């Protein structure tokens, strides 16, 4: 049975994760960094505190963006190398459902739809492939 539809969903979701990670780092991260530098009328101690605060927020944003990029690359790898046509496995659909739940907590609506769809379709195809194999084994035995 073909896994083409699930792979397409995963490639689109992974591309969105890569784009989202790059935008998080270079657009939002640099915006946060500039916000900490553009505060006027502060004493030297207050300015240092603001730079430290916004520097920490910038570091968090960059780490989060890198996490999104790594997840996107991992999902491309998994879809390309481990989700072959006709293979029955329960780990990949569960992984994509977990990615969908992670996307839910990030409020990433496109990835919620894409990952949940790929996981549910993958599990449904697994079930039909198992039934198909059991019927073929039953026919061979008697």
């Amino acid at each position: 049975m073909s896994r083409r539809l699930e792979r397409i969903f995963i490639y689109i979701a992974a591309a969105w994760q890569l784009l989202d990670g790059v935008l998080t780092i270079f657009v939002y991260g640099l915006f946060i960094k500039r916000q900490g530098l553009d505060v006027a009328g502060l004493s030297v101690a207050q300015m240092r505190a603001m730079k430290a605060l916004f520097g920490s927020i910038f570091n968090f944003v960059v780490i989060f963006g890198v996490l999104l990029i790594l997840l996107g690359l991992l999902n491309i790898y998994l879809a390309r190398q481990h989700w072959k046509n006709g293979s029955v496995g329960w780990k990949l659909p569960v992984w994509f459902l977990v990615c969908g739940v992670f996307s839910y907590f990030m409020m990433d609506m496109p990835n919620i739809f894409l990952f949940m769809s790929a996981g549910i379709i993958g599990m449904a195809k697994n079930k039909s492939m198992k039934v198909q194999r059991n019927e073929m084994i039953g026919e061979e035995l008697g």
Side-chain angles (χ1 to χ4, degrees):
M1 192 170 281
S2 175
R3 297 277 190 185
R4 185 171 184 262
L5 180 62
E6 296 98 326
R7 280 195 301 263
I8 289 172
F9 282 159
I10 297 306
Y11 288 147
I12 293 170
W16 174 251
Q17 281 181 326
L18 293 172
L19 178 67
D20 197 19
V22 168
L23 290 175
T24 299
I25 293 171
F26 291 111
V27 176
Y28 184 66
L30 294 177
F31 172 76
I32 291 293
K33 191 74 164 180
R34 273 184 259 136
Q35 290 296 319
L37 299 176
D38 288 342
V39 179
L42 298 176
S43 68
V44 175
Q46 290 172 332
M47 186 62 97
R48 285 184 187 157
M50 290 296 287
K51 284 183 181 180
L53 175 67
F54 281 96
S56 296
I57 295 171
F58 173 75
N59 289 340
F60 175 78
V61 167
V62 169
I63 289 170
F64 187 74
V66 169
L67 174 71
L68 287 175
I69 291 171
L70 291 176
L71 278 174
L73 293 173
L74 176 67
N75 286 324
I76 289 172
Y77 171 76
L78 289 175
R80 182 167 289 183
Q81 297 297 323
H82 294 288
W83 220 353
K84 301 292 182 188
N85 291 338
S87 67
V88 177
W90 63 272
K91 292 179 184 177
L92 278 178
V94 170
W95 167 253
F96 294 133
L97 291 174
V98 168
C99 286
V101 170
F102 177 70
S103 298
Y104 173 76
F105 287 115
M106 291 187 333
M107 296 303 294
D108 189 1
M109 295 304 166
N111 276 350
I112 293 171
F113 170 74
L114 293 167
F115 281 126
M116 290 295 191
S117 298
I120 291 170
I121 292 170
M123 290 179 123
K125 284 187 179 178
N126 282 348
K127 183 71 172 176
S128 68
M129 284 190 278
K130 285 180 187 178
V131 168
Q132 214 172 29
R133 285 185 183 173
N134 287 341
E135 286 177 0
M136 289 174 24
I137 290 172
E139 289 175 2
E140 290 175 0
L141 293 177

